[in-house]
Amino acid sequence: MGFDFDVILSKQDQLISGIAMTIFVWVVGTLLAALIGFIVATARRYGGVLVDKALTVPIEVIRGTPFLVQLFLLYFGGPYIGLSLDALPAGLLALSVYGAAYFAEIFRAGYQSVPPGHVEAAECLGFTRIQIIRNILLPEMALLVIPPSVNMAIILLKETALLSLITVPEMTMTASAIGSQEYAFVEAMVLIALVYWVLVELAGLLGRFAEKKLSRYRLAKA
């Protein structure tokens, strides 16, 4: 039996649907993770010692356990505590929470990278907390958090493959099913690898583009 991509490509409608689902879950999951992570990092910075300690525990638990275990606990264990979710919502929630723990640390490090004197100067000028975040902290830390944020987005993209295990019809599940039906599993895996590689390269390209744009903007303002 030879290597034949045509067998897989003959199911292009199903493949396109699977790829679209992967991109949807990845983009939405990453955006939610970044938003939750930013809120958590901000709460840890301004919420006092008790809030900081309380949020540190779940962050460390999430970062210290595999995503697959968290996904299974949410999807299969959720009904035991009254949380019964379909595959797609469960996958999105698991991906978002998992990513949020890492984004929270990325943004916390970004906050800490801003010289305290800049914040103190803004406070002396009468800036509110929201104004300090918007006008001082975010602009100064943005360039520093882009590279690790892009890396985290790429990690979340790869983790979407695990959602196939709870029957989310993303790219890995779709291509695997086609490969099994057509006895072309190797061809299916090669195709999956190529698509993931293209998406990873695009994410890296967008990250580098954002870095250059932000660097030029900061130089123009200097």
Side-chain angles (χ1 to χ4, degrees):
M1 182 179 293
F3 191 88
D4 186 7
F5 253 137
D6 292 337
V7 175
I8 301 296
L9 296 178
S10 65
K11 307 288 185 178
Q12 60 180 347
D13 290 343
Q14 297 176 45
L15 290 171
I16 291 172
S17 176
I19 292 170
M21 178 60 75
T22 291
I23 294 173
F24 169 76
V25 171
W26 172 42
V27 172
V28 174
T30 301
L31 290 176
L32 287 174
L35 177 61
I36 297 169
F38 177 74
I39 293 171
V40 170
T42 304
R44 291 185 67 186
R45 180 179 176 88
Y46 292 108
V49 176
L50 290 178
V51 172
D52 181 32
K53 297 299 181 184
L55 291 174
T56 298
V57 175
I59 288 174
E60 293 304 316
V61 170
I62 292 170
R63 294 176 68 211
T65 53
F67 174 64
L68 181 60
V69 173
Q70 297 171 28
L71 180 64
F72 280 176
L73 284 174
L74 177 63
Y75 186 64
F76 296 112
Y80 288 96
I81 58 171
L83 183 63
S84 183
L85 297 173
D86 291 335
L88 181 56
L92 270 174
L93 180 59
L95 196 69
S96 300
V97 172
Y98 177 74
Y102 290 88
F103 275 113
E105 289 300 293
I106 291 171
F107 289 124
R108 186 175 70 90
Y111 276 141
Q112 292 176 342
S113 70
V114 178
H118 294 188
V119 177
E120 291 168 3
E123 290 172 343
C124 291
L125 291 172
F127 280 32
T128 65
R129 186 169 292 175
I130 294 176
Q131 288 175 323
I132 291 173
I133 293 173
R134 185 177 68 243
N135 299 315
I136 306 297
L137 294 172
L138 284 179
E140 292 198 31
M141 76 183 203
L143 195 59
L144 295 173
V145 302
I146 286 177
S149 294
V150 172
N151 286 338
M152 191 63 227
I154 289 172
I155 289 172
L156 292 179
L157 168 61
K158 296 175 183 178
E159 297 289 12
T160 60
L162 295 177
L163 302 186
S164 62
L165 298 176
I166 60 169
T167 70
V168 175
E170 47 72 67
M171 177 172 57
T172 302
M173 179 179 176
T174 303
S176 298
I178 294 171
S180 298
Q181 292 167 6
E182 302 295 334
Y183 300 99
F185 198 75
V186 173
E187 290 90 333
M189 292 300 103
V190 170
L191 180 63
I192 291 171
L194 287 173
V195 175
Y196 274 118
W197 176 74
V198 169
L199 291 175
V200 166
E201 290 300 311
L202 285 174
L205 186 64
L206 288 173
R208 290 189 292 272
F209 176 78
E211 279 188 84
K212 288 180 181 178
K213 280 289 187 181
L214 189 56
S215 296
R216 290 173 183 171
Y217 174 75
R218 292 184 65 176
L219 288 173
K221 289 191 67 177

